[in-house]
Amino acid sequence: MLALAFLVIGLFVALNRKIRYSTWRPTHKMMGLVYLLAVGHFMTAPVVLFDRSRPSGLMLMAAAVTGVLACLYSVAGMNRRTALPFTIEAVRPLERATEVVLKPQHAMMDFLPGQFVFVEVQGKGWKEPHPFTISSAPGEQRLRVTIKVLGDWTRKVRDELQPGGAVLVRGPYGKFDSARAGNQQVWVAGGIGLTPFLSMLRAMQPGDPRQILLVYAARNERDALFLGELKTRVAELGNVSLLTRFSEQGEFADLPLIQQAWPGELGQRDYFLCGPKPMTDALRSRLRKAGVARGRLHAEAFEFR
Ligand SMILES: Cc1cc2nc3c(=O)[nH]c(=O)nc-3n(C[C@H](O)[C@H](O)[C@H](O)COP(=O)(O)OP(=O)(O)OC[C@H]3O[C@@H](n4cnc5c(N)ncnc54)[C@H](O)[C@@H]3O)c2cc1C
């Protein structure tokens, strides 16, 4: 009963968006202990309630053992052992964002364009690790992340982060991989959601067989980070067309726009969406209604919980 009560409280805290991430995180970790309590309880339950010799009992036990191991691995911080040390080489201020360039202290990390890492700045006051998509391309000798100012931590990055500092980087994670999709692709980036596409474009070689429409939605031209680089890259590559939308001018990244910019069968293409959740959710559901198969829709959410 105690474990159940804690689980309900934990769920409430997780679903209540008004509770700050930094408050939610320790309560989320506590849920690991609650889970252990619950597993311990049913493992010791009498056979009449939980028969360990039946297939269902064995499956439950296997799930519980996997869960307990995963819980201990994460709560005890063992996942941090795989972190690689980097040095901050440059901190570049951008419009309401910061580009941070990281130099590996030993080996460079292998990753795919579209993947993200956890960045943990070493030093007092930097608190927990934060996830960021890698915006550089694999093969570069530096790791670049572009960080939009959204709250306390990201503001501190812009105001206080200095070259020369140490950073632990854990990852890479994620499966936002356009290289394994079909040859007709629509990429939709909203604001800072451009970062995975930046990495993809930086990695792309001329002669790439894919035909890509990149729709980049931002508040205005000043807010559209890396627009100059995007235009140059698109001109070099030849297989990518770029369409910008500025919300201050009443322009949005919506389905009629995509259809107008690239007429043809919507269901034959793969869609990669990254940006504010209301934007990606709306596009996703319109594309589903237009008959696009679930497997062709790939969305990256920039939030946990
Ligand atoms: C897979 C993934 C990739 C991301 N890639 C980028 C990127 O390339 N560029 C970029 O600018 N942002 C990216 N983000 C978002 C970025 O992690 C948050 O904006 C940042 O952590 C906010 O921190 P804050 O304390 O300044 O803001 P807060 O105001 O405290 O938080 C804003 C929101 O960010 C989330 N958040 C806060 N702290 C953390 C944390 N430690 N770990 C996870 N989420 C947190 C919460 O959902 C919160 O509601 C990504 C997020 C995810 C999950």
Side-chain angles (χ1 to χ4, degrees):
M1 285 306 286
L2 206 60
L4 187 64
F6 278 123
L7 281 173
V8 171
I9 295 171
L11 197 65
F12 171 77
V13 175
L15 293 177
N16 189 341
R17 312 294 297 180
K18 287 194 188 128
I19 295 172
R20 290 169 65 92
Y21 183 91
S22 50
T23 311
W24 164 77
R25 197 165 185 266
T27 65
H28 178 63
K29 280 204 155 189
M30 281 298 293
M31 286 304 111
L33 298 179
V34 173
Y35 174 75
L36 293 181
L37 189 70
V39 168
H41 178 65
F42 85 72
M43 282 292 195
T44 50
V47 174
V48 6
L49 292 177
F50 170 39
D51 187 349
R52 293 137 185 97
S53 62
R54 295 176 66 167
S56 57
L58 289 172
M59 274 163 68
L60 205 55
M61 288 229 286
V65 169
T66 313
V68 168
L69 291 177
C71 171
L72 292 176
Y73 182 79
S74 164
V75 172
M78 275 144 80
N79 48 357
R80 290 182 69 231
R81 287 199 194 159
T82 53
L84 292 176
F86 281 72
T87 305
I88 302 165
E89 188 175 73
V91 181
R92 299 188 185 124
L94 305 169
E95 186 69 25
R96 295 198 291 134
T98 318
E99 185 181 53
V100 180
V101 184
L102 300 170
K103 182 181 170 189
Q105 286 179 16
H106 309 299
M108 184 59 187
M109 171 179 279
D110 286 329
F111 65 93
L112 295 171
Q115 288 193 298
F116 69 97
V117 287
F118 279 95
V119 174
E120 190 174 348
V121 177
Q122 302 297 282
K124 234 179 147 196
W126 284 99
K127 294 193 277 179
E128 74 273 340
H130 284 247
F132 294 101
T133 302
I134 304 168
S135 52
S136 45
E140 285 182 36
Q141 287 315 301
R142 300 289 181 268
L143 204 68
R144 282 186 278 172
V145 286
T146 310
I147 300 177
K148 171 124 188 238
V149 178
L150 269 185
D152 297 348
W153 196 90
T154 44
R155 187 165 299 110
K156 199 168 151 77
V157 164
R158 189 194 56 187
D159 297 343
E160 296 176 28
L161 199 68
Q162 293 292 331
V167 160
L168 281 180
V169 177
R170 185 157 44 85
Y173 300 105
K175 285 187 171 172
F176 197 60
D177 181 9
S178 65
R180 284 202 281 169
N183 273 351
Q184 290 191 11
Q185 301 186 2
V186 179
W187 298 354
V188 183
I192 196 63
L194 177 75
T195 49
F197 303 117
L198 256 187
S199 178
M200 292 171 193
L201 283 177
R202 285 170 172 166
M204 199 179 285
Q205 301 294 325
D208 190 291
R210 287 173 292 172
Q211 202 57 42
I212 295 162
L213 168 68
L214 167 59
V215 183
Y216 183 17
R219 190 182 296 192
N220 52 40
E221 189 155 352
R222 254 175 51 151
D223 253 30
L225 301 173
F226 301 101
L227 189 55
E229 179 183 338
L230 283 183
K231 286 180 178 166
T232 313
R233 197 74 193 112
V234 161
E236 280 166 3
L237 289 166
N239 63 322
V240 183
S241 35
L242 172 69
L243 204 62
T244 50
R245 309 298 286 162
F246 300 127
S247 59
E248 276 186 2
Q249 296 174 19
E251 301 172 342
F252 299 96
D254 45 22
L255 194 53
L257 169 92
I258 294 171
Q259 281 172 309
Q260 197 186 340
W262 193 0
E265 182 53 57
L266 287 175
Q268 298 297 311
R269 301 168 190 159
D270 281 272
Y271 298 83
F272 289 82
L273 318 173
C274 188
K277 211 168 173 315
M279 182 194 99
T280 54
D281 282 354
L283 258 177
R284 215 190 158 103
S285 86
R286 273 183 215 136
L287 285 162
R288 284 288 294 137
K289 279 190 193 132
V292 177
R294 212 180 287 274
R296 287 195 181 269
L297 296 173
H298 316 265
E300 180 70 311
F302 271 9
E303 56 183 45
F304 288 134
R305 294 163 81 170

